Amino acid sequence: AAKITEADTVFGQVEIGFSVAPLIATVENARRSTIVIAVVEMVLVALFSFVLGLYLTRQLSQLRDASRRISTGELGYQLDVKGRDELADTAKAFNSMSRRISNLYDQVAENERRSRLIVEASLDAMIGIDHRGDIIEYNSAAASIFGYRAEEAIGQELASLIIPAQLRDAHHKGLEHYLKTGEGPVLGKRIELPALRSDGTEFPAEVSIHAEAGSEGPIFIAYIRDVTD
């Protein structure tokens, strides 16, 4: 405000002012806009998080289901890979691993098939026993020589099945000695011993025994030939 004076006489005053209402309204509008923008951002972030979580959960669920399929024997199972993110790279690595497992399994199965063909083609009886003396391998030549089918022999104790009674004690002692010392005087040699058929008759047999390491203990493979003639 400014006074209008002349010779010490005040004639009036001039006052200049402006309204702050528009400024207050502008600030209020800006505050409201800021709140709206913040709310929209929060909604968008929540929506994005939900979508991302749903995507990650679905991808991880597919990996889990694929792992279960492989564990139940569905080797070589492949995931449907989509995208180029880290999960897609993980899925590709999983598919590669699954193919390698399937290929290795096929190779092992083929090797086992070939080994089985070789064993079955042998004219000599081949009998495998574990560290307890129980039969774990038994080929068709053994069935022909001893008279027991494979399903009858496997799981039975070798000594009570094909070794004559007078030699069973020596067999048990020899097995026990090897398990304690790792020494077997007859291993890797051809020896002639009497053997027992399923009908109770004895016959002379040429025997060669070899020991191999197993996961639970030594495994013994015996090659037996009927030398009656």
Side-chain angles (χ1 to χ4, degrees), residues 32-47:
R32 291 176 180 175
S33 298
T34 302
I35 293 175
V36 171
I37 293 173
V39 171
V40 171
E41 288 180 346
M42 291 177 61
V43 171
L44 290 176
V45 169
L47 181 61

Side-chain angles (χ1 to χ4, degrees), residues 31 56 68 80 85 98 145 148 168 189-190 201 203:
R31 186 178 68 84
L56 292 174
R68 288 178 177 175
D80 183 18
D85 55 12
S98 180
I145 292 174
Y148 297 102
R168 291 172 188 169
K189 300 179 180 179
R190 289 186 177 273
T201 59
F203 67 95

Side-chain angles (χ1 to χ4, degrees), residues 135-155:
I135 297 175
I136 56 175
E137 289 288 343
Y138 191 87
N139 70 349
S140 57
S144 298
I145 292 174
F146 293 100
Y148 297 102
R149 299 191 306 273
E151 56 268 26
E152 295 175 319
I154 292 177

